[in-house]
Amino acid sequence: MSTAELTPAQLAKTIDHTLLKPEATPPQVEKLCGEAKEYHFASVCVNASNVAQCAELLKGTDVKVCSVVGFPLGATLASVKAFETEQAIAAGATEIDMVLNIGALKAGNDKLVLEDIKAVVDAAHAHKIIVKVIFETCLLTDEEKVKACNLSKQAGADYVKTSTGFNTAGATLEDVALMRKTVGPDMGVKAAGGVRTRDDVLAMVKAGATRIGTSGGVKIMEGLEIKSGY
């Protein structure tokens, strides 16, 4: 999508309105959902324990409920991630953002990484739910990022995603461009972590992102800068 033709409504539909802090309370989750409804964001992205509340609050709206899985380390067993996926969907999740096994990727254990992603993809796709695969790009070499893209595509994932927002750095334009180049035009690319202004969003979209993860969707829509957060 060309940034020159990105209307406010289209901008809103790139945003996964995010609240993943461990101390998030039900009133904060309710506020998140209210904002998502008001601006018609693509989704709210929350921890699994908050999915049921979001699903109830967003019933009948155009806002998806995205649950993270294996978050934020990606180091749980594939079977646990698959179970977590099933439980999140049962609670009302309509999208899944999973963290791949970063250590296995860096160790060159492609088989384990592929099986890890595929376990979640199979569990989600059985319910026609899309899966985004989080890489934690700040911990990877460019070669490892390319490999993660190829394994995600091979596993049948729907998106690749840069970051959890809980590590040393978030999305960069270079990483988004590399991921887009690697996966091609038909797979989604999500930029998350450190996207703080409308100009940041537009630059990420120009680089190849089709979804943006941010806790500051409201300020972005209002043209304000986010001082801190995911």
Side-chain angles (χ1 to χ4, degrees):
M1 182 185 292
S2 166
T3 57
E5 58 189 37
L6 205 63
T7 66
Q10 289 171 325
L11 177 68
K13 278 301 177 195
T14 68
I15 292 174
D16 286 348
H17 197 36
T18 302
L19 179 59
L20 293 169
K21 292 179 179 179
E23 70 272 24
T25 62
Q28 290 172 327
V29 172
E30 184 174 0
K31 182 173 183 284
L32 182 87
C33 292
E35 292 167 346
K37 283 195 287 188
E38 179 181 352
Y39 287 94
H40 299 278
F41 291 134
S43 81
V44 293
C45 186
V46 296
N47 289 299
S49 60
N50 295 319
V51 163
Q53 182 186 2
C54 293
E56 181 62 31
L57 290 168
L58 293 170
K59 190 182 298 181
T61 74
D62 60 349
V63 181
K64 303 287 190 183
V65 178
C66 176
S67 176
V68 290
V69 163
F71 193 88
L73 302 179
T76 48
L77 297 172
S79 57
V80 173
K81 292 181 187 178
F83 179 75
E84 191 178 0
T85 299
E86 291 279 5
Q87 292 297 299
I89 293 169
T94 50
E95 295 188 353
I96 298 293
D97 281 19
M98 69 161 291
V99 186
L100 59 68
N101 191 315
I102 301 162
L105 179 70
K106 295 191 73 66
N109 192 341
D110 295 359
K111 182 174 182 291
L112 193 156
V113 176
L114 180 63
E115 290 173 351
D116 180 69
I117 299 169
K118 197 169 186 308
V120 172
V121 168
D122 288 351
H125 283 186
H127 301 275
K128 297 182 170 32
I129 301 296
I130 71 166
V131 174
K132 311 184 203 100
V133 182
I134 306 171
F135 293 177
E136 206 69 287
T137 46
C138 62
L139 302 179
L140 306 178
T141 65
D142 282 353
E143 182 181 353
E144 289 163 346
K145 294 165 197 171
V146 168
K147 184 182 287 188
C149 284
N150 289 330
L151 290 169
S152 298
K153 195 169 185 179
Q154 186 180 343
D158 304 281
Y159 280 73
V160 290
K161 175 179 170 181
T162 59
S163 318
T164 63
F166 281 72
N167 217 294
T168 56
T172 68
L173 294 173
E174 294 78 12
D175 284 342
V176 169
L178 176 63
M179 291 162 74
R180 171 55 65 204
K181 178 182 177 183
T182 305
V183 301
D186 299 325
M187 195 171 181
V189 175
K190 179 174 172 178
V195 183
R196 305 201 187 287
T197 67
R198 185 177 297 200
D199 286 346
D200 288 344
V201 173
L202 296 178
M204 289 295 177
V205 170
K206 187 175 181 181
T210 48
R211 199 74 73 88
I212 304 294
T214 177
S215 60
V218 171
K219 288 189 175 181
I220 285 170
M221 294 304 295
E222 292 174 348
L224 304 173
E225 183 175 0
I226 308 154
K227 299 302 182 183
S228 64
Y230 179 89

